[in-house]
Structure formats: structure tokens, C-alpha cells
Amino acid sequence: MNLGHAFGDVLKERRREVGLTQEELAFQADMHSTAISLYERGLRQPSLYTVFKLATVLKMRPSSLVESVEVKEPDLG
């Protein structure tokens, strides 16, 4: 697994935990749902600014979002 796919898996898991669709997450983060789809499939990596926006909507600290990726794929860190 690469970093993009690890982030995508964490993003999808957390989005589902808080009960949001891709469209709802995108709307609340002021993004396009296509971007969320690309992140979740590991086809695009978010900027630091985007990580902060997504974490806010997902009700978590940005550092926790990044740490979740590291926990999922410790060899990537």
C-alpha cells in the first residue's frame, strides 16, 4: 500500500464513522465530491490545507488524521 491509498482508506473509514456521504463531506469542506473520491481511491494526495479542512469536518484534529494514516501503514513514516 502507498501513502495515497493509506490516506484514502483512513479518510473513507472516518467519513463513514461520522455518517457522511462523499457529497456531504465535500459540501461541508467546500470541495467537490470528485476530489473526495480521488482522495479515497488514493489517486490524489491532499495538501496540508486540505487535511485541515477535512479533519475539521470529520471532527478530529489534523494530527490525529495523519497519525491514523501512520498507524495503518507504519512503514510509510
Coordinates of all heavy atoms in Angstrom, one line a residue:
M1 N 0.9 -1.2 0.0 CA 0.0 0.0 0.0 C 0.9 1.2 0.0 O 1.9 1.3 0.6 CB -0.9 0.0 1.2 CG -1.8 1.2 1.3 SD -3.0 1.1 2.7 CE -4.0 -0.3 2.3
N2 N 0.5 2.3 -0.7 CA 1.3 3.5 -0.7 C 0.6 4.5 0.2 O -0.5 4.3 0.7 CB 1.5 4.0 -2.1 CG 0.3 4.5 -2.8 OD1 -0.7 5.0 -2.2 ND2 0.2 4.3 -4.1
L3 N 1.2 5.7 0.3 CA 0.7 6.7 1.2 C -0.6 7.2 0.8 O -1.5 7.4 1.6 CB 1.7 7.9 1.2 CG 1.4 9.0 2.2 CD1 1.3 8.5 3.6 CD2 2.5 10.1 2.1
G4 N -0.8 7.4 -0.5 CA -2.1 7.9 -1.0 C -3.3 6.9 -0.7 O -4.3 7.3 -0.3
H5 N -3.0 5.6 -0.9 CA -4.0 4.6 -0.6 C -4.3 4.6 0.9 O -5.4 4.4 1.3 CB -3.7 3.3 -1.2 CG -3.8 3.2 -2.6 ND1 -2.8 3.3 -3.5 CD2 -4.9 3.1 -3.4 CE1 -3.2 3.2 -4.7 NE2 -4.5 3.2 -4.7
A6 N -3.2 4.7 1.7 CA -3.4 4.6 3.2 C -4.3 5.8 3.6 O -5.2 5.6 4.4 CB -2.1 4.6 3.9
F7 N -4.0 7.0 3.1 CA -4.8 8.2 3.5 C -6.2 8.0 3.0 O -7.2 8.3 3.8 CB -4.2 9.5 2.9 CG -5.0 10.7 3.2 CD1 -4.8 11.3 4.4 CD2 -6.0 11.1 2.3 CE1 -5.6 12.4 4.8 CE2 -6.8 12.2 2.7 CZ -6.6 12.9 3.9
G8 N -6.4 7.5 1.8 CA -7.7 7.3 1.3 C -8.5 6.3 2.1 O -9.7 6.5 2.4
D9 N -7.9 5.2 2.6 CA -8.6 4.3 3.5 C -9.0 4.9 4.8 O -10.1 4.7 5.2 CB -7.7 3.1 3.7 CG -7.5 2.1 2.5 OD1 -8.3 2.3 1.5 OD2 -6.7 1.2 2.6
V10 N -8.1 5.7 5.4 CA -8.4 6.3 6.6 C -9.5 7.4 6.4 O -10.5 7.4 7.2 CB -7.2 7.0 7.2 CG1 -7.5 8.0 8.4 CG2 -6.2 5.9 7.7
L11 N -9.5 8.1 5.4 CA -10.5 9.1 5.1 C -11.9 8.5 4.9 O -12.9 8.9 5.5 CB -10.1 9.9 3.8 CG -11.1 11.0 3.4 CD1 -11.2 12.1 4.4 CD2 -10.7 11.6 2.0
K12 N -11.9 7.4 4.2 CA -13.2 6.7 3.9 C -13.7 6.1 5.3 O -14.9 6.3 5.6 CB -13.0 5.6 2.9 CG -14.3 4.9 2.6 CD -14.1 3.7 1.7 CE -13.7 4.1 0.4 NZ -13.7 2.9 -0.6
E13 N -12.9 5.5 6.0 CA -13.3 4.9 7.3 C -13.9 6.0 8.2 O -14.9 5.8 8.8 CB -12.1 4.2 8.0 CG -11.7 2.9 7.3 CD -10.4 2.4 7.8 OE1 -9.9 2.9 8.9 OE2 -9.8 1.5 7.2
R14 N -13.2 7.1 8.4 CA -13.6 8.1 9.3 C -14.9 8.8 8.8 O -15.8 9.1 9.6 CB -12.5 9.2 9.5 CG -12.9 10.3 10.4 CD -13.1 9.8 11.8 NE -13.6 10.9 12.7 CZ -14.0 10.8 13.9 NH1 -14.2 9.6 14.4 NH2 -14.4 11.8 14.5
R15 N -15.0 9.0 7.5 CA -16.2 9.6 6.9 C -17.4 8.7 7.2 O -18.4 9.3 7.6 CB -16.0 9.7 5.4 CG -17.3 10.3 4.7 CD -17.1 10.4 3.2 NE -16.7 9.2 2.5 CZ -17.6 8.2 2.2 NH1 -18.8 8.2 2.6 NH2 -17.1 7.1 1.5
R16 N -17.2 7.5 7.1 CA -18.3 6.5 7.4 C -18.7 6.5 8.9 O -19.8 6.4 9.3 CB -18.0 5.1 6.9 CG -18.1 5.1 5.4 CD -17.7 3.7 4.9 NE -17.9 3.6 3.4 CZ -17.5 2.5 2.7 NH1 -16.9 1.5 3.3 NH2 -17.7 2.5 1.4
E17 N -17.6 6.6 9.7 CA -17.8 6.6 11.2 C -18.7 7.8 11.6 O -19.5 7.7 12.5 CB -16.5 6.7 11.9 CG -15.7 5.4 11.9 CD -14.4 5.6 12.6 OE1 -14.1 6.7 13.1 OE2 -13.6 4.6 12.5
V18 N -18.5 8.9 11.0 CA -19.3 10.1 11.3 C -20.6 10.2 10.5 O -21.4 11.2 10.7 CB -18.5 11.4 11.2 CG1 -17.3 11.4 12.2 CG2 -18.0 11.7 9.8
G19 N -20.8 9.2 9.7 CA -22.1 9.2 9.0 C -22.3 10.1 7.8 O -23.4 10.6 7.6
L20 N -21.2 10.4 7.1 CA -21.3 11.3 6.0 C -21.1 10.6 4.6 O -20.3 9.6 4.6 CB -20.2 12.4 6.0 CG -20.3 13.4 7.2 CD1 -19.1 14.3 7.2 CD2 -21.6 14.2 7.1
T21 N -21.8 11.1 3.6 CA -21.5 10.6 2.3 C -20.4 11.4 1.7 O -20.0 12.4 2.3 CB -22.8 10.8 1.4 OG1 -23.0 12.2 1.2 CG2 -24.0 10.1 1.9
Q22 N -19.8 11.0 0.6 CA -18.8 11.8 0.0 C -19.3 13.2 -0.4 O -18.6 14.1 -0.2 CB -18.3 11.1 -1.3 CG -17.4 9.9 -1.1 CD -16.9 9.3 -2.4 OE1 -17.4 9.6 -3.5 NE2 -15.9 8.4 -2.2
E23 N -20.5 13.2 -0.8 CA -21.1 14.5 -1.2 C -21.3 15.4 0.0 O -21.0 16.6 -0.1 CB -22.5 14.3 -1.9 CG -22.4 13.6 -3.3 CD -22.2 12.1 -3.2 OE1 -22.3 11.5 -2.1 OE2 -21.8 11.5 -4.2
E24 N -21.7 14.9 1.1 CA -21.9 15.7 2.3 C -20.5 16.2 2.8 O -20.4 17.3 3.2 CB -22.6 14.9 3.4 CG -24.0 14.6 3.1 CD -24.7 13.5 4.0 OE1 -23.9 12.7 4.5 OE2 -25.9 13.5 4.1
L25 N -19.5 15.3 2.8 CA -18.2 15.7 3.3 C -17.7 16.8 2.4 O -17.1 17.8 2.8 CB -17.2 14.5 3.3 CG -15.8 14.8 3.6 CD1 -15.6 15.5 4.9 CD2 -14.9 13.5 3.5
A26 N -17.8 16.6 1.1 CA -17.4 17.6 0.1 C -18.0 19.0 0.3 O -17.4 20.0 0.4 CB -17.6 17.2 -1.3
F27 N -19.4 19.0 0.5 CA -20.1 20.2 0.7 C -19.6 20.9 2.0 O -19.4 22.1 2.0 CB -21.6 19.9 0.8 CG -22.4 21.1 1.1 CD1 -22.7 22.0 0.0 CD2 -22.9 21.4 2.3 CE1 -23.5 23.1 0.3 CE2 -23.7 22.5 2.6 CZ -24.0 23.4 1.6
Q28 N -19.5 20.2 3.1 CA -19.1 20.8 4.3 C -17.7 21.3 4.3 O -17.3 22.2 5.0 CB -19.3 19.8 5.5 CG -20.8 19.6 5.8 CD -21.0 18.7 7.0 OE1 -20.3 18.7 7.9 NE2 -22.0 17.8 6.9
A29 N -16.8 20.7 3.5 CA -15.4 21.1 3.4 C -15.2 22.1 2.3 O -14.1 22.5 2.0 CB -14.5 19.9 3.2
D30 N -16.3 22.5 1.6 CA -16.2 23.4 0.5 C -15.3 22.9 -0.6 O -14.4 23.5 -1.1 CB -15.8 24.8 1.0 CG -16.0 25.8 -0.1 OD1 -17.0 25.7 -0.9 OD2 -15.3 26.8 -0.1
M31 N -15.6 21.6 -1.0 CA -14.8 20.9 -2.0 C -15.8 20.3 -3.0 O -17.0 20.3 -2.7 CB -13.9 19.9 -1.4 CG -12.9 20.4 -0.4 SD -12.0 19.1 0.5 CE -11.1 18.4 -0.8
H32 N -15.3 19.7 -4.0 CA -16.1 19.0 -5.0 C -16.0 17.5 -4.6 O -15.0 17.0 -4.2 CB -15.5 19.2 -6.4 CG -16.5 18.8 -7.5 ND1 -16.7 17.5 -7.8 CD2 -17.4 19.5 -8.2 CE1 -17.6 17.4 -8.8 NE2 -18.1 18.6 -9.0
S33 N -17.2 16.8 -4.8 CA -17.2 15.4 -4.4 C -16.2 14.5 -5.2 O -15.8 13.5 -4.7 CB -18.6 14.9 -4.5 OG -19.1 15.0 -5.9
T34 N -15.9 15.0 -6.4 CA -14.9 14.2 -7.2 C -13.6 14.2 -6.5 O -12.9 13.2 -6.5 CB -14.8 14.9 -8.6 OG1 -16.0 14.8 -9.2 CG2 -13.7 14.1 -9.4
A35 N -13.2 15.3 -5.8 CA -11.9 15.4 -5.1 C -11.9 14.4 -4.0 O -10.9 13.7 -3.7 CB -11.7 16.8 -4.6
I36 N -13.0 14.3 -3.2 CA -13.1 13.3 -2.1 C -13.0 11.9 -2.7 O -12.2 11.1 -2.1 CB -14.5 13.4 -1.4 CG1 -14.7 14.9 -0.8 CG2 -14.6 12.4 -0.3 CD1 -13.6 15.3 0.2
S37 N -13.6 11.6 -3.8 CA -13.5 10.3 -4.4 C -12.0 10.0 -4.8 O -11.5 8.9 -4.5 CB -14.4 10.2 -5.6 OG -14.2 9.0 -6.3
L38 N -11.4 11.0 -5.4 CA -10.0 10.8 -5.8 C -9.1 10.5 -4.5 O -8.2 9.7 -4.6 CB -9.5 12.0 -6.6 CG -10.1 12.1 -8.0 CD1 -9.7 13.5 -8.6 CD2 -9.7 11.0 -8.9
Y39 N -9.3 11.3 -3.5 CA -8.5 11.1 -2.2 C -8.8 9.7 -1.7 O -7.9 9.0 -1.3 CB -8.9 12.1 -1.1 CG -8.5 13.5 -1.5 CD1 -9.4 14.6 -1.2 CD2 -7.3 13.8 -2.1 CE1 -9.1 15.9 -1.5 CE2 -7.0 15.2 -2.4 CZ -7.9 16.2 -2.1 OH -7.5 17.5 -2.4
E40 N -10.1 9.3 -1.6 CA -10.4 8.0 -1.0 C -9.8 6.8 -1.9 O -9.6 5.7 -1.3 CB -11.9 7.8 -0.9 CG -12.4 8.7 0.3 CD -13.9 8.4 0.6 OE1 -14.5 7.6 -0.1 OE2 -14.4 9.1 1.5
R41 N -9.7 7.0 -3.2 CA -9.1 5.9 -4.0 C -7.6 6.0 -4.1 O -7.0 5.2 -4.8 CB -9.8 6.0 -5.4 CG -11.3 5.6 -5.3 CD -11.9 5.5 -6.7 NE -12.0 6.9 -7.2 CZ -11.9 7.2 -8.5 NH1 -11.7 6.3 -9.4 NH2 -12.1 8.5 -8.9
G42 N -7.0 7.0 -3.5 CA -5.6 7.1 -3.5 C -5.0 7.6 -4.8 O -3.8 7.5 -5.0
L43 N -5.9 8.3 -5.6 CA -5.4 8.8 -6.9 C -5.0 10.3 -6.8 O -4.4 10.8 -7.7 CB -6.6 8.7 -7.9 CG -7.0 7.3 -8.1 CD1 -8.2 7.3 -9.1 CD2 -5.9 6.4 -8.7
R44 N -5.2 10.9 -5.6 CA -4.7 12.3 -5.4 C -4.4 12.4 -3.9 O -5.0 11.8 -3.1 CB -5.8 13.2 -5.8 CG -5.5 14.7 -5.5 CD -6.6 15.6 -5.7 NE -6.8 15.9 -7.1 CZ -7.8 16.7 -7.5 NH1 -8.6 17.3 -6.7 NH2 -7.9 17.0 -8.8
Q45 N -3.3 13.2 -3.6 CA -2.9 13.4 -2.3 C -3.3 14.8 -1.9 O -3.1 15.7 -2.7 CB -1.4 13.2 -2.1 CG -1.0 11.7 -2.1 CD -0.9 11.2 -3.5 OE1 -0.4 11.8 -4.4 NE2 -1.4 10.0 -3.7
P46 N -3.8 15.0 -0.7 CA -4.3 16.3 -0.3 C -3.1 17.2 0.2 O -2.1 16.8 0.6 CB -5.2 16.0 0.9 CG -4.6 14.8 1.5 CD -4.1 14.0 0.3
S47 N -3.4 18.5 0.0 CA -2.4 19.5 0.6 C -2.6 19.6 2.1 O -3.6 19.0 2.6 CB -2.7 20.9 0.0 OG -4.0 21.4 0.4
L48 N -1.7 20.2 2.7 CA -1.8 20.4 4.2 C -3.1 21.2 4.5 O -3.8 20.8 5.5 CB -0.6 21.1 4.7 CG -0.5 21.3 6.2 CD1 -0.6 20.0 7.0 CD2 0.7 22.1 6.6
Y49 N -3.4 22.2 3.7 CA -4.6 23.0 3.9 C -5.9 22.1 3.8 O -6.8 22.1 4.7 CB -4.7 24.1 2.9 CG -5.9 24.9 2.9 CD1 -6.1 25.9 3.9 CD2 -6.9 24.8 2.0 CE1 -7.2 26.6 4.0 CE2 -8.1 25.5 2.0 CZ -8.2 26.5 3.0 OH -9.4 27.2 3.1
T50 N -5.9 21.2 2.9 CA -7.0 20.3 2.7 C -7.1 19.3 3.8 O -8.2 19.0 4.3 CB -6.9 19.5 1.3 OG1 -6.9 20.5 0.3 CG2 -8.0 18.5 1.1
V51 N -6.0 18.8 4.3 CA -6.0 17.9 5.5 C -6.7 18.6 6.7 O -7.6 18.0 7.4 CB -4.6 17.4 5.9 CG1 -4.6 16.7 7.3 CG2 -4.0 16.5 4.8
F52 N -6.4 19.9 6.9 CA -7.0 20.6 8.0 C -8.5 20.8 7.7 O -9.3 20.7 8.7 CB -6.3 22.0 8.1 CG -5.1 22.0 9.0 CD1 -4.0 21.4 8.7 CD2 -5.2 22.6 10.3 CE1 -2.9 21.3 9.5 CE2 -4.1 22.6 11.1 CZ -2.9 21.9 10.7
K53 N -8.9 21.1 6.5 CA -10.4 21.3 6.2 C -11.1 19.9 6.4 O -12.2 19.9 7.0 CB -10.5 21.7 4.8 CG -10.2 23.2 4.5 CD -10.3 23.7 3.1 CE -11.3 23.0 2.2 NZ -11.4 23.7 0.9
L54 N -10.5 18.9 5.9 CA -11.2 17.6 6.1 C -11.3 17.1 7.5 O -12.3 16.7 8.0 CB -10.5 16.5 5.3 CG -10.5 16.6 3.7 CD1 -9.6 15.7 3.1 CD2 -12.0 16.4 3.2
A55 N -10.2 17.3 8.3 CA -10.2 16.9 9.7 C -11.3 17.7 10.5 O -11.9 17.2 11.3 CB -8.8 17.2 10.3
T56 N -11.4 19.0 10.2 CA -12.4 19.8 10.9 C -13.8 19.2 10.7 O -14.6 19.1 11.6 CB -12.3 21.3 10.4 OG1 -11.1 21.8 10.7 CG2 -13.4 22.1 11.0
V57 N -14.1 18.9 9.4 CA -15.5 18.4 9.1 C -15.6 17.0 9.8 O -16.7 16.6 10.2 CB -15.7 18.3 7.6 CG1 -17.0 17.6 7.3 CG2 -15.7 19.7 7.0
L58 N -14.5 16.2 9.8 CA -14.6 14.9 10.4 C -14.5 14.9 11.9 O -14.4 13.8 12.5 CB -13.5 14.0 9.8 CG -13.6 13.8 8.3 CD1 -12.4 13.1 7.7 CD2 -14.9 13.0 7.9
K59 N -14.5 16.1 12.5 CA -14.5 16.2 13.9 C -13.3 15.6 14.6 O -13.4 14.8 15.6 CB -15.8 15.7 14.5 CG -17.0 16.4 14.0 CD -18.3 15.8 14.6 CE -19.5 16.6 14.2 NZ -19.9 16.5 12.8
M60 N -12.1 15.9 14.0 CA -10.9 15.3 14.6 C -9.7 16.3 14.4 O -9.9 17.2 13.5 CB -10.5 14.0 14.0 CG -10.3 14.0 12.5 SD -10.1 12.3 11.8 CE -9.0 11.4 12.8
R61 N -8.7 16.2 15.1 CA -7.5 17.0 14.9 C -6.8 16.6 13.7 O -6.7 15.4 13.4 CB -6.6 16.9 16.1 CG -7.3 17.5 17.4 CD -6.3 17.3 18.5 NE -5.1 18.0 18.1 CZ -4.3 18.7 19.0 NH1 -4.6 18.7 20.2 NH2 -3.3 19.4 18.5
P62 N -6.2 17.5 12.9 CA -5.5 17.2 11.7 C -4.3 16.2 12.1 O -4.1 15.2 11.3 CB -4.9 18.5 11.2 CG -5.9 19.5 11.7 CD -6.3 19.0 13.1
S63 N -3.7 16.4 13.2 CA -2.6 15.5 13.6 C -3.1 14.1 13.8 O -2.5 13.1 13.6 CB -1.9 16.0 14.9 OG -2.8 16.1 15.9
S64 N -4.4 13.9 14.3 CA -5.0 12.6 14.5 C -5.3 11.9 13.2 O -5.1 10.7 13.1 CB -6.3 12.7 15.3 OG -6.0 13.2 16.6
L65 N -5.7 12.7 12.2 CA -5.9 12.2 10.9 C -4.6 11.6 10.3 O -4.6 10.5 9.8 CB -6.5 13.2 10.0 CG -6.9 12.9 8.6 CD1 -7.9 11.7 8.5 CD2 -7.5 14.1 7.8
V66 N -3.6 12.4 10.4 CA -2.3 12.0 9.9 C -1.8 10.8 10.7 O -1.2 9.8 10.1 CB -1.3 13.1 9.9 CG1 0.1 12.6 9.6 CG2 -1.7 14.2 9.0
E67 N -1.9 10.8 12.0 CA -1.5 9.7 12.8 C -2.2 8.4 12.5 O -1.6 7.3 12.5 CB -1.7 10.0 14.3 CG -1.2 8.9 15.2 CD -1.3 9.2 16.7 OE1 -2.0 10.2 17.0 OE2 -0.8 8.5 17.5
S68 N -3.5 8.5 12.1 CA -4.3 7.3 11.7 C -3.7 6.7 10.5 O -3.7 5.5 10.3 CB -5.7 7.7 11.5 OG -6.3 8.1 12.7
V69 N -3.2 7.5 9.6 CA -2.5 7.0 8.4 C -1.3 6.3 8.8 O -1.0 5.2 8.3 CB -2.2 8.1 7.4 CG1 -1.5 7.6 6.2 CG2 -3.5 8.8 6.9
E70 N -0.5 6.9 9.7 CA 0.8 6.2 10.1 C 0.5 4.9 10.8 O 1.2 3.9 10.6 CB 1.5 7.2 11.0 CG 2.8 6.7 11.5 CD 3.6 7.6 12.4 OE1 3.0 8.6 12.9 OE2 4.8 7.3 12.7
V71 N -0.6 4.8 11.6 CA -0.9 3.6 12.3 C -1.3 2.5 11.3 O -0.9 1.4 11.4 CB -2.0 3.8 13.3 CG1 -2.6 2.5 13.8 CG2 -1.5 4.7 14.5
K72 N -2.0 2.9 10.3 CA -2.5 2.0 9.2 C -1.3 1.4 8.4 O -1.3 0.3 8.1 CB -3.5 2.7 8.3 CG -4.1 1.7 7.3 CD -5.3 2.4 6.7 CE -6.3 1.4 6.1 NZ -6.9 0.5 7.1
E73 N -0.4 2.3 8.1 CA 0.8 1.9 7.3 C 2.1 2.4 8.0 O 2.7 3.4 7.5 CB 0.7 2.5 5.9 CG 0.0 1.6 4.9 CD 0.6 0.2 4.8 OE1 1.8 0.0 4.7 OE2 -0.3 -0.7 4.9
P74 N 2.6 1.8 9.1 CA 3.7 2.3 9.8 C 5.0 2.3 9.0 O 5.9 3.1 9.2 CB 3.9 1.3 11.0 CG 3.1 0.1 10.6 CD 2.0 0.6 9.6
D75 N 5.1 1.5 7.9 CA 6.3 1.5 7.1 C 6.4 2.7 6.2 O 7.5 3.0 5.6 CB 6.4 0.2 6.2 CG 6.5 -1.0 7.1 OD1 7.1 -0.9 8.2 OD2 6.1 -2.1 6.6
L76 N 5.4 3.5 6.1 CA 5.4 4.7 5.2 C 6.0 5.9 5.9 O 6.4 6.8 5.3 CB 4.0 5.0 4.8 CG 3.3 4.0 3.9 CD1 1.8 4.4 3.6 CD2 4.0 3.8 2.6
G77 N 6.1 5.9 7.3 CA 6.5 7.0 8.0 C 8.0 7.2 8.0 O 8.8 6.6 7.4

